[in-house]
Amino acid sequence: MLDRADVTESPAGDATEVARPVRFRGAGFTPATSRHAGWLALAAALAVWQAAGSLAPVNPLFLPTPVAIARALYQLAISGVLWQHVSVSLLRISAGWALGTASGIVVGFAIGLSRIARSIGISFVSALFPIPKIAVLPLLILWLGIGEAPKVATIALGVFFSTTISVYSGVDAVPRNLIRMAQSFDVPFATIVRRVIWPGALPSILAGFRITASVALMLVVSAEMIGAETGIGTFVLQAGNLMQTDQLMAGIVILSAFGLAVGKLISLLEARLLHWR
Amino acid sequence: MIRYARLAMTALLGLATLLTTLGAAHADQMEKARIGVLRLSSSAPVFIAQDKGYFRDAGLEVELKFFDAAQPVAVATTTGDVDVGITAFTAGLYNLAGKGTLKIIAGMSRDRPGYPLIGYFASNKAYEAGLKTPKDLAGKRIAITQVGSSFHYSLGLLADKYGFKLSDMKLVPLQSMSNMAAALKGETVDAALLPVSAARKLMDDGEVKHLGWVGDETPWQVSGVFAGPKTLADKELVTRLLSALQRAEREYHDVVLATVKDGHAAIDDKTKPLLAIIGKYTNLPVEQVAGNCAYIDPQGRLDVKNVDDQIKWLQAQGFADKGYDAEAIIAKDYVKAD
Amino acid sequence: MDLIADHISHRFGTLDVLDDVSFTVAAGEVVAIVGPSGCGKSTLLSILGGLLQPCAGQASLRGAPPSESLNPLTFVFQDFALLPWSTVAENVEFPLLHSRLSAQERRAAVDDALRRTHLSDFRAAYPKQLSGGMRQRAGIARALAVRPALLLMDEPLSALDSQTRELLLEDFVRLLAEGSMGAIYVTHNLEEAVRLADRIVVLSRRPGRVRDVVSVPVPRGERGALAAREHLLPLQNELWHLIRAEAIDAEREVQHA
């Protein structure tokens, strides 16, 4: 018979060897986001920035203070120029983005679904994607003139390649077993594309939207290099040329705000369309 | 044997160094200076002074820093990345100066009759339709680099000269020479202002028509020499640098500019060495350098009145900040006015 | 409607997978296909169901399927193959969308299939909200909705834990007893084969050949009883005996590959 410990005895009560708790080792690697901390950090950064500008002898030319930027924005807003710039640019961005996205989706699906389109398409996309759009501006001007067409085309081009890549990788990522399942029920090709491949590729396509929306915002500056009189890109370019750094920063703030808004919009879209994930 | 030869070489080199040092003995010590400049013939005296050792003679060890646009030169001067900048006057430069981060210390190139630098060019279609002279530019679509640029100002001067309004022209900012050339070739603009270096090939290929030169129509002070506060305080440095530059300017003026006829400098035994130096720094063959000679005042003078006009014009257009004039941004200790 | 495997051979690249496999599944019959891992059981099922073109031989049908059948040969997949963005009801309705049924008839078919698989309360759930067993029930409901003549079941229980497996196995027995529907049931689990099948096709290791075809003596409806189970145990052992040596060889081969 084995001796058994008295069950009423506290296990830590053994005097000869003091029991110690097992050290917790599982901390970290689970970052949780706190909404307030983010805003607080932003506010603190702005405060330090403002203090650096107004207390220390930092030349406002090098780093305009947040207040100066806010003032520049305010003046733009009340003069009505801001809305002119914003609306013109938004029109170009949305037209270019829509055009690039629509054609990118078509080509991306073709590459994802057809052997011929795939063998031709992938090499074309790989060859043309890395060309900096600014480098082809003279060509775009030759082909399309200096009206709205080349501006929209600049944005559309940048968006197109990104979209194509995210769409065909999305199509590639649709589980083959779902397609086989649909085939086993004699579901017609068009229905498979619409009800299996499209929703299956949607997460990747939406992730692509996130990137292409930023690309479109970045390219509006390049696009408005082509003889634009208004637009947020023109405004930024002009402020840079004229060394009006507070205006320049104001323009950048507007572009950032666009970026944030678009990011939010896409998050909403994702929450709506991808709730099944 | 070889060892002796080496020894002899070393001795010779040492002697040469000693002699050079003695040659510069009137300067107390070699001072270092960095000059920000573009590879354009409008900065010819800088290249001559550097190549022929005039800076060295003045006790300066100059390092040239090359930029590819005017704006970065002004910014680099402001931030102290270069001690002295030499480039065209732009709204951006004036705005930097207006905030007290740099001052003009001398003049450099000018647009002046007989010295082709910047031209008005028409597309073939617009030319056929009657755009034959600079005066006809009223009511046309004209490509420029940027708003507030020297091209913009030139067109403002042209409008004043022929009594029409700047707003009568539709100006199309295209940011780069290649964009402007493409727009002109593609006939989506009626005209463009282009430097002769960029336009020559288009002209020779018959793709654009030449209407005239800015220098012939509206002479003005195009570029200058400027420095940040730290350099300005070093009187010794600035004086030496300007004297070396003026030595080169005088030589350039008397040797090269004196031979300019129909927009071309002569290529002879006297001019060729200087043209070769300019060609070396601007990466152009001598023949092209000779056809692209910027006028530079032999004494490095600055057309202060014109600079003031420029500032007033830019301020009126809203491209320059209000609240300063030429007085405020010129280092009076150094500048020689016209 | 009979399904005939007619001298089917298949290879993937240089790898021979199936070698001259022939057998017939009569209308309403339940046939299990067993064999060691990698013997080409699933490949054979894909060929029989028309999802894969064999290198030689063919799968053919004899006789007309029942007129009410919308999809005579219907798969039940090992990984369920449910559309993750569709609810259970939508998944069941998916193969009916392009059929000749009216919306009302479709709804009735979906309701019936969900009721038979005990999923009526989960019609609005998404696949990720369901347990593995429930997901496979949805997969079965989808198959039932098209009123198949022959179910092609590809290891339908192997992704599930043993308790769920037992529960679903009972459901299969019940569903297969309900109508005139036949089934080909691919499995590596001999107990499942012996519980469900009228006949068992034993495949050799790769390249799969028909090693033996065994009839299960007790009628399907009577196998629930304890006595019957005991009666069938020797058959299960016999089958294991047939496969064991091959399974060992097959496993070594897989490790080498």
Side-chain angles (χ1 to χ4, degrees):
Chain A
M1 232 353 228
L2 288 166
D3 285 329
R4 290 191 188 272
D6 183 354
V7 284
T8 59
E9 187 192 359
S10 158
D14 190 350
T16 53
E17 185 110 34
V18 178
R20 54 193 188 283
V22 174
R23 188 169 54 82
F24 174 57
R25 297 176 286 188
F29 300 102
T30 50
T33 49
S34 159
R35 176 173 302 218
H36 305 295
W39 289 114
L40 276 176
L42 191 65
L46 283 176
V48 170
W49 180 358
Q50 179 68 38
S54 42
L55 301 178
V58 174
N59 190 322
L61 177 69
F62 294 116
L63 190 66
T65 62
V67 169
I69 296 167
R71 200 184 303 125
L73 271 174
Y74 175 72
Q75 273 158 5
L76 275 175
I78 55 165
S79 67
V81 183
L82 178 66
W83 314 118
Q84 215 176 327
H85 286 314
V86 166
S87 58
V88 167
S89 283
L90 272 183
L91 207 64
R92 283 174 191 144
I93 291 169
S94 37
W97 185 83
L99 204 66
T101 299
S103 43
I105 287 176
V106 169
V107 173
F109 264 90
I111 290 177
L113 296 175
S114 135
R115 179 198 293 248
I116 303 170
R118 188 179 199 85
S119 33
I120 302 170
I122 289 191
S123 15
F124 264 85
V125 168
S126 311
L128 299 178
F129 186 33
I131 296 176
K133 304 302 166 279
I134 294 180
V136 297
L137 283 189
L139 282 178
L140 285 177
I141 291 172
L142 269 181
W143 297 337
L144 301 170
I146 51 171
E148 287 304 300
K151 303 183 185 76
V152 171
T154 306
I155 297 173
L157 267 180
V159 170
F160 168 76
F161 290 110
S162 259
T163 307
T164 303
I165 290 172
S166 66
V167 168
Y168 85 65
S169 21
V171 171
D172 286 354
V174 174
R176 294 296 104 174
N177 67 329
L178 294 185
I179 295 169
R180 273 165 59 89
M181 178 277 289
Q183 289 175 319
S184 81
F185 286 107
D186 287 323
V187 176
F189 178 80
T191 312
I192 295 184
V193 171
R194 198 159 53 87
R195 293 195 171 259
V196 179
I197 294 174
W198 168 256
L202 202 55
S204 170
I205 293 173
L206 286 181
F209 281 8
R210 221 174 253 289
I211 295 166
T212 55
S214 310
V215 167
L217 285 176
M218 284 192 279
L219 283 179
V220 75
V221 180
S222 307
E224 290 180 356
M225 282 187 168
I226 311 170
E229 281 171 349
T230 47
I232 212 71
T234 314
F235 178 75
V236 167
L237 282 170
Q238 185 172 327
N241 290 335
L242 302 180
M243 268 296 149
Q244 294 165 333
T245 41
D246 53 344
Q247 307 267 320
L248 178 65
M249 292 293 267
I252 289 170
V253 167
I254 295 169
L255 281 175
S256 302
F258 277 8
L260 280 174
V262 169
K264 205 83 193 153
L265 202 69
I266 291 170
S267 294
L268 280 175
L269 211 61
E270 278 182 338
R272 233 188 121 67
L273 294 176
L274 305 179
H275 58 92
W276 47 270
R277 286 206 292 191
Chain B
M1 201 52 209
I2 291 168
R3 181 175 296 177
Y4 284 111
R6 266 204 193 146
L7 204 66
M9 279 286 276
T10 317
L12 266 173
L13 273 174
L15 196 68
T17 318
L18 193 71
L19 282 172
T20 323
T21 321
L22 287 173
H26 59 93
D28 304 321
Q29 75 219 58
M30 292 299 268
E31 218 177 328
K32 285 192 166 83
R34 295 157 302 170
I35 299 181
V37 68
L38 271 58
R39 292 189 182 274
L40 294 177
S41 58
S42 49
S43 301
V46 186
F47 308 139
I48 294 168
Q50 176 76 338
D51 210 74
K52 298 190 80 170
Y54 298 167
F55 287 128
R56 185 161 277 279
D57 292 349
L60 291 174
E61 197 180 315
V62 163
E63 184 191 347
L64 296 186
K65 297 229 175 201
F66 292 101
F67 291 78
D68 52 13
Q71 189 85 329
V73 179
V75 175
T77 310
T78 296
T79 57
D81 289 309
V82 297
D83 301 309
V84 170
I86 299 175
T87 188
F89 295 132
T90 60
L93 186 143
Y94 286 133
N95 279 337
L96 287 172
K99 292 196 169 81
T101 61
L102 55 83
K103 276 188 161 50
I104 301 171
I105 54 174
M108 188 50 76
S109 70
R110 301 177 187 214
D111 260 328
R112 197 177 149 125
Y115 299 92
L117 218 55
I118 308 291
Y120 313 96
F121 295 90
S123 75
N124 284 328
K125 199 167 80 185
Y127 188 83
E128 297 303 319
L131 174 55
K132 312 268 185 193
T133 68
K135 197 179 156 191
D136 304 330
L137 285 171
K140 299 294 188 294
R141 290 159 67 82
I142 305 159
I144 58 171
T145 47
Q146 297 158 355
V147 291
S149 65
S150 55
F151 293 171
H152 200 167
Y153 174 67
S154 304
L155 286 170
L157 289 178
L158 191 77
D160 287 348
K161 179 176 175 182
Y162 290 110
F164 58 88
K165 283 201 292 263
L166 183 64
S167 56
D168 290 342
M169 294 178 281
K170 173 133 175 51
L171 301 188
V172 184
L174 290 174
Q175 310 300 328
S176 76
M177 299 292 170
S178 49
N179 287 354
M180 288 160 69
L184 196 58
K185 243 159 78 174
E187 306 194 321
T188 53
V189 293
D190 300 318
L193 263 71
L194 289 171
V196 60
S197 52
R200 187 169 305 279
K201 190 171 178 306
L202 293 173
M203 227 160 46
D204 294 348
D205 294 350
E207 288 177 303
V208 301
K209 293 280 187 297
H210 175 235
L211 303 179
W213 300 108
V214 171
D216 294 336
E217 296 289 338
T218 57
W220 64 292
Q221 177 81 54
V222 177
S223 69
V225 186
F226 45 88
K230 207 170 136 243
T231 311
L232 289 169
D234 190 346
K235 205 158 176 156
E236 183 74 27
L237 173 82
V238 176
T239 311
R240 284 187 201 171
L241 192 131
L242 288 181
S243 75
L245 264 182
Q246 272 161 33
R247 191 174 159 197
E249 280 160 0
R250 168 59 69 189
E251 185 175 353
Y252 173 71
H253 181 271
D254 292 353
V255 176
V256 178
L257 292 182
T259 70
V260 170
K261 217 164 137 193
D262 298 332
H264 267 263
I267 304 176
D268 56 31
D269 291 350
K270 276 165 83 182
T271 59
K272 206 159 180 190
L274 290 185
L275 294 174
I277 292 172
I278 302 168
K280 183 173 113 188
Y281 283 92
T282 56
N283 301 321
L284 289 173
V286 167
E287 294 70 34
Q288 219 163 314
V289 173
N292 189 18
C293 287
Y295 181 81
I296 288 160
D297 185 81
Q299 297 171 55
R301 285 179 301 190
L302 180 76
D303 186 345
V304 178
K305 198 188 154 301
N306 176 250
V307 168
D308 202 51
D309 283 347
Q310 291 181 35
I311 295 170
K312 288 208 169 69
W313 184 86
L314 290 168
Q315 285 171 338
Q317 301 292 324
F319 302 140
D321 303 333
K322 305 250 185 295
Y324 63 89
D325 56 9
E327 285 280 290
I329 63 162
I330 284 173
K332 281 195 260 337
D333 295 352
Y334 305 115
V335 163
K336 286 191 248 174
D338 268 3
Chain C
M1 186 192 73
D2 305 340
L3 176 71
I4 303 153
D6 186 7
H7 300 286
I8 290 172
S9 297
H10 195 70
R11 53 166 58 206
F12 290 118
T14 57
L15 194 68
D16 280 310
V17 185
L18 293 168
D19 183 21
D20 197 29
V21 174
S22 293
F23 60 85
T24 301
V25 181
E29 190 185 18
V30 177
V31 171
I33 299 176
V34 300
S37 310
C39 72
K41 302 187 289 283
S42 294
T43 307
L44 179 60
L45 197 69
S46 291
I47 291 169
L48 293 176
L51 290 182
L52 191 68
Q53 199 117 47
C55 293
Q58 60 175 352
S60 40
L61 297 172
R62 191 167 50 206
S67 61
E68 79 276 9
S69 178
L70 300 171
N71 189 49
L73 296 178
T74 299
F75 277 88
V76 173
F77 296 93
Q78 179 178 1
D79 56 12
F80 326 132
L82 298 174
L83 303 175
W85 46 84
S86 298
T87 62
V88 168
E90 287 165 354
N91 264 292
V92 175
E93 195 183 15
F94 174 68
L96 301 173
L97 287 174
H98 66 282
S99 74
R100 53 178 190 264
L101 299 187
S102 68
Q104 209 171 359
E105 288 170 314
R106 282 210 303 272
R107 192 173 159 84
V110 171
D111 288 347
D112 178 58
L114 290 178
R115 190 182 40 74
R116 287 166 71 188
T117 47
H118 310 305
L119 281 173
S120 300
D121 294 341
F122 300 91
R123 50 184 311 135
Y126 284 89
K128 71 159 183 191
Q129 299 170 300
L130 299 177
S131 69
M134 298 289 256
R135 286 183 208 177
Q136 190 55 295
R137 281 209 171 86
I140 293 158
R142 179 178 60 195
L144 294 177
V146 295
R147 290 173 236 152
L150 187 66
L151 276 180
L152 304 174
M153 307 173 89
D154 185 8
E155 309 224 21
L157 302 182
S158 63
L160 305 175
D161 66 79
S162 61
Q163 290 170 7
T164 311
R165 195 183 295 192
E166 187 60 33
L167 290 173
L168 251 79
L169 198 54
E170 286 169 16
D171 285 349
F172 286 168
V173 171
R174 173 173 56 83
L175 290 168
L176 286 171
E178 272 176 19
S180 59
M181 183 169 60
I184 299 178
Y185 191 98
V186 165
T187 183
H188 60 265
N189 183 311
L190 300 177
E191 190 195 339
E192 289 171 20
V194 169
R195 281 276 290 281
L196 283 172
D198 299 314
R199 284 190 302 149
I200 297 170
V201 175
V202 182
L203 291 187
S204 68
R205 75 185 180 90
R206 199 177 58 223
R209 298 187 182 93
V210 178
R211 249 200 97 175
D212 210 344
V213 180
V214 183
S215 289
V216 184
V218 183
R220 276 193 267 144
E222 297 164 21
R223 289 177 204 162
L226 200 59
R229 286 200 194 186
E230 273 173 21
H231 186 66
L232 287 174
L233 211 52
L235 176 64
Q236 204 175 316
N237 286 335
E238 191 187 324
L239 286 170
W240 175 233
H241 200 71
L242 268 174
I243 292 170
R244 187 172 181 274
E246 304 244 11
I248 290 169
D249 284 352
E251 196 203 29
R252 295 223 172 110
E253 204 168 319
V254 170
Q255 281 171 352
H256 281 297

